[in-house]
Amino acid sequence: MRSKIVQDQRNQPQVLVENKIAFAGEESELSLYDTYQSTNNIALSSDQLMFCSMLSGKKIMHDNKREFETTFLPHESFIMAPNQVVQIDFPDATNTQPTSCLAIEISSKYITKVCEKLNIEASLSDYQREWQYDNKLLHIHHNTETQALLNRMIHIFTENHQDRDFMVNLSVSELITRLLREQTREFILCHSLSNPEYNGINNVVAYLHQHLKETISIDNLTKISCMSRTKFFNEFKRIIGCTPQDFLFQLRLRKAADLLKRNQSVTQTCFATGYLNTSHFSRSFKKCFGVNPSQYKQIHNSTNTQNAPVANSWRLND
């Protein structure tokens, strides 16, 4: 019943630009935004960390001087540190096809609380890096698990359940943990490329990054890591969060997205990233990004945006 009421409210907007419906939790607030007309330079900011996820349509995010500019699409999220300001353009919004997104604001105190709990449970012997949120503007591509989490959060925030606040906090904790895990993985990737000899896992990560097109041999990776097969698998999954094969697929798809943004053909991108046929490549790409490679290329090349780096850009675990 509550979901129908929410949908009815969204279908009867009070304003055409950034019509907002908000649902508050103890340490967070979820808002649904719908925009029904094309417009430019709408400011967005919050005094808390803000996690934004596109539901439909397209936004172009930029600063007021357009020193960065990036397209923001469904199956992607945009994370802003407290008090950061971005400007938003809505090039395609119409009354019949609104541009929609959700935004989750999370208190800094609650993020610190989750970090402290993770630090108690974590082993810091690998990189001596504590769990903490880095105040950076982040543009990420998320997978089906994260999409399912966001859908579940909409339901939890909007339902009248007697344990609503407790379940909201659980879902927010999961979201924070996923973000922190990805920041750690991005740190390890950068660390591995700059210092591959630091340890065995660094050496393997750097090797995979440099050999995207090749079929990997687990025996070869264990030699590179100087570990036994069992220890290598356990260490890699503990530190990186997935298997070496899955990590290689993630690197390939990330490279593929970059090539398509540069207007390279789908066929060229397929073979340049180690896929043997375009059908398999298209299925894998759509599972990750929510659209097929041709659609992704068309969307990202339909405007004259420079696609300068907005900040770190990475994917959540697949």
Side-chain angles (χ1 to χ4, degrees):
M1 178 64 70
R2 186 61 177 269
S3 297
K4 184 178 186 305
I5 294 173
V6 172
Q7 191 58 53
D8 288 344
Q9 289 177 307
R10 294 178 67 191
N11 291 337
Q12 299 175 14
Q14 301 299 309
V15 294
L16 295 180
V17 178
E18 293 287 75
N19 184 67
K20 175 182 177 181
I21 304 173
F23 305 90
E26 291 181 331
E27 302 286 353
S28 58
E29 180 175 287
L30 181 144
S31 300
L32 297 170
Y33 291 90
D34 298 293
T35 299
Y36 294 85
Q37 68 179 27
S38 177
T39 189
N40 296 324
N41 300 321
I42 303 300
L44 175 67
S45 66
S46 172
D47 60 354
Q48 306 292 345
L49 179 140
M50 181 182 286
F51 177 95
C52 304
S53 180
M54 285 296 293
L55 301 177
S56 65
K58 176 172 71 174
K59 294 181 180 181
I60 297 175
M61 316 286 282
H62 58 88
D63 64 355
N64 57 1
K65 296 181 180 179
R66 291 191 181 264
E67 293 177 350
F68 78 80
E69 187 167 300
T70 187
T71 302
F72 186 28
L73 303 169
H75 231 257
E76 298 179 358
S77 294
F78 204 81
I79 298 112
M80 297 171 54
N83 301 313
Q84 287 186 318
V85 181
V86 297
Q87 304 284 329
I88 309 173
D89 299 342
F90 300 85
D92 302 330
T94 66
N95 192 51
T96 55
Q97 292 185 311
T99 296
S100 302
C101 80
L102 68 84
I104 303 172
E105 296 174 80
I106 308 171
S107 76
S108 300
K109 288 173 57 179
Y110 194 72
I111 294 172
T112 300
K113 181 179 177 181
V114 174
C115 290
E116 288 174 349
K117 186 171 183 180
L118 288 171
N119 281 325
I120 292 173
E121 299 175 355
S123 168
L124 303 178
S125 59
D126 300 296
Y127 296 89
Q128 298 300 320
R129 187 173 190 265
E130 290 189 346
W131 292 95
Q132 59 182 344
Y133 175 72
D134 295 330
N135 286 330
K136 296 178 181 178
L137 200 60
L138 300 171
H139 183 188
I140 67 174
H141 303 279
H142 49 71
N143 65 356
T144 51
E145 286 79 8
T146 304
Q147 189 64 52
L149 170 61
L150 295 173
N151 292 338
R152 190 167 74 249
M153 291 180 77
I154 293 174
H155 178 73
I156 293 171
F157 267 94
T158 58
E159 72 173 336
N160 290 319
H161 193 282
Q162 60 184 1
D163 300 315
R164 173 184 176 276
D165 288 341
F166 177 73
M167 292 191 295
V168 163
N169 286 343
L170 285 178
S171 65
V172 171
S173 296
E174 180 180 348
L175 181 62
I176 294 170
T177 302
R178 287 178 179 271
L179 297 180
L180 292 171
R181 169 61 69 180
E182 282 311 305
Q183 287 192 330
T184 298
R185 290 176 74 248
E186 186 69 14
F187 166 80
I188 293 171
L189 176 58
C190 293
H191 191 274
S192 298
L193 296 180
S194 63
N195 191 8
E197 302 301 324
Y198 180 76
N199 61 25
I201 298 301
N202 270 31
N203 215 348
V204 169
V205 168
Y207 177 86
L208 292 174
H209 191 272
Q210 294 161 6
H211 297 81
L212 291 178
K213 295 174 61 176
E214 301 176 14
T215 301
I216 65 169
S217 163
I218 297 300
D219 289 337
N220 189 32
L221 295 184
T222 57
K223 291 177 182 178
I224 293 171
S225 69
C226 298
M227 300 179 191
S228 69
R229 188 183 183 95
T230 300
K231 183 178 181 181
F232 167 66
F233 264 104
N234 290 340
E235 285 294 287
F236 194 96
K237 192 164 185 178
R238 182 179 66 83
I239 294 172
I240 305 299
C242 61
T243 67
Q245 188 70 47
D246 287 341
F247 184 67
L248 178 61
F249 288 152
Q250 293 172 13
L251 291 176
R252 286 175 174 174
L253 290 171
R254 181 161 141 174
K255 178 66 174 179
D258 289 339
L259 293 175
L260 292 170
K261 285 181 180 180
R262 298 174 192 169
N263 212 25
Q264 188 157 314
S265 74
V266 173
T267 301
Q268 288 175 319
T269 300
C270 169
F271 295 114
T273 52
Y275 283 87
L276 300 180
N277 66 76
T278 54
S279 296
H280 181 209
F281 169 62
S282 294
R283 288 194 301 271
S284 298
F285 192 93
K286 186 172 183 178
K287 181 180 179 182
C288 174
F289 293 101
V291 294
N292 65 43
S294 297
Q295 292 170 322
Y296 188 90
K297 178 182 176 182
Q298 181 181 8
I299 292 168
H300 280 277
N301 290 281
S302 63
T303 64
N304 292 322
T305 59
Q306 297 177 357
N307 285 321
V310 55
N312 290 347
S313 180
W314 32 253
R315 293 190 311 111
L316 292 168
N317 283 351
D318 207 356

